[in-house]
Amino acid sequence: MQRDIHELEQKIGYRFENRELIENALRHSSYANEHRKSNLKDNERLEFLGDAVLELSSSEFLFRTYADMKEGDMTKLRASIVCEPTLAQCAAAIELGSFLRLGRGEELTGGRLRDSVVSDAMEALIGAIYLDGGFASAKEFVERFILNDVEHKKLFFDSKTILQEIVQSTYKGEQMSYRLLREEGPEHSKTFVVQLFIGEKGFEEGRGRTKKSAEQEAAYRTIITLKGQL
């Protein structure tokens, strides 16, 4: 069930002057298609604009924050920040999915929880803020809700590579592997649960909407365990 847009504005600390922009940003193509007679616009054009604003905002942030980082490393870090899983994670933090206007079919198949849907809506929201309040307002939103805790995001999305390096240096001769423990939920909205193994020793479990994201979480949690932080 969709929530009132004013709640979202309170969550993000930004109030729209142009109400149509926020409505448009939250309107999925499935909803627009079901209401063609009303001639409603979906959020895909705003998503296109928001993607560009996000890339510029994140590029400027990394340039200022990591003065000694090489261009290639900045490109890699930016890619991990603006990728679909990260944006979906950021969207979940503000419960963006619960505010979306979805068509009946999309609603019934779990669209509010689908990474592709909520990450696109996150970019559309950025585009809407940019048009309503200018680049400064959009950049403030990006820095507050997407570029927060960059080191944590970097560790999480590089976790499989980082853990592989740890295993190679610490567990000589042992192979790292992921085993699918189970699948939960209906066919259209599955959650995968995997466990990470080093040799035959089991470590942490991870959950995700895809096997890859579940593996990332398992690797991240294992890194934290190996560092003695759990």
Side-chain angles (χ1 to χ4, degrees):
M1 190 70 181
Q2 66 193 38
R3 294 163 63 182
D4 188 89
I5 288 176
H6 290 97
E7 289 185 62
L8 177 60
E9 290 179 308
Q10 290 177 348
K11 279 181 174 292
I12 66 176
Y14 182 84
R15 180 169 177 78
F16 279 80
E17 293 292 331
N18 185 338
R19 306 305 300 171
E20 172 53 26
L21 284 171
I22 179 64
E23 291 278 0
N24 192 178
L26 300 176
R27 193 180 298 130
H28 189 257
S29 58
S30 61
Y31 185 92
N33 288 337
E34 287 186 9
H35 296 80
R36 287 179 181 173
K37 290 183 179 179
S38 300
N39 200 29
L40 297 174
K41 296 178 181 178
D42 62 40
N43 64 5
E44 292 179 358
R45 284 172 56 84
L46 282 176
E47 174 202 337
F48 168 81
L49 180 60
D51 175 68
V53 175
L54 173 60
E55 183 159 326
L56 178 56
S57 299
S58 56
S59 297
E60 181 186 337
F61 176 85
L62 296 177
F63 185 84
R64 288 190 284 104
T65 305
Y66 300 95
D68 298 323
M69 185 177 285
K70 294 181 179 179
E71 182 269 343
D73 293 331
M74 285 196 296
T75 299
K76 181 181 177 182
L77 179 53
R78 183 182 63 194
S80 71
I81 292 170
V82 304
C83 69
E84 181 179 291
T86 305
L87 292 180
Q89 184 183 46
C90 296
I94 60 173
E95 302 176 286
L96 186 59
S98 63
F99 296 96
L100 299 183
R101 277 46 177 159
L102 302 177
R104 180 174 174 78
E106 192 68 36
E107 181 80 70
L108 292 175
T109 55
R112 293 190 189 279
L113 299 176
R114 190 170 295 121
D115 282 4
S116 59
V117 173
V118 295
S119 63
D120 287 351
M122 194 71 167
E123 290 182 330
L125 182 57
I126 294 168
I129 294 173
Y130 169 75
L131 290 178
D132 190 71
F135 182 71
S137 295
K139 186 171 75 167
E140 182 180 345
F141 173 85
V142 169
E143 292 187 357
R144 181 179 175 189
F145 294 104
I146 297 175
L147 298 176
N148 59 325
D149 203 8
V150 169
E151 289 302 320
H152 175 276
K153 290 185 173 76
K154 182 177 184 295
L155 174 61
F156 182 79
F157 287 100
D158 286 344
S159 57
K160 294 174 75 173
T161 301
I162 293 170
L163 183 59
Q164 185 69 55
E165 293 171 354
I166 293 173
V167 171
Q168 288 174 349
S169 62
T170 308
Y171 296 85
K172 303 214 183 274
E174 299 283 10
Q175 295 296 314
M176 188 174 79
S177 62
Y178 300 89
R179 299 181 189 176
L180 179 65
L181 299 182
R182 59 188 179 276
E183 299 176 10
E184 301 174 347
E187 190 67 30
H188 64 264
S189 185
K190 281 186 177 181
T191 294
F192 297 92
V193 181
V194 305
Q195 184 176 14
L196 186 142
F197 283 77
I198 299 176
E200 291 303 312
K201 183 177 180 180
F203 283 83
E204 297 295 333
E205 295 181 9
R207 303 166 65 88
R209 294 285 174 181
T210 64
K211 291 179 183 178
K212 182 179 178 180
S213 62
E215 290 173 358
Q216 283 178 323
E217 181 176 301
Y220 172 75
R221 291 175 61 82
T222 300
I223 291 171
I224 300 301
T225 298
L226 294 177
K227 289 185 175 182
Q229 295 180 17
L230 281 182

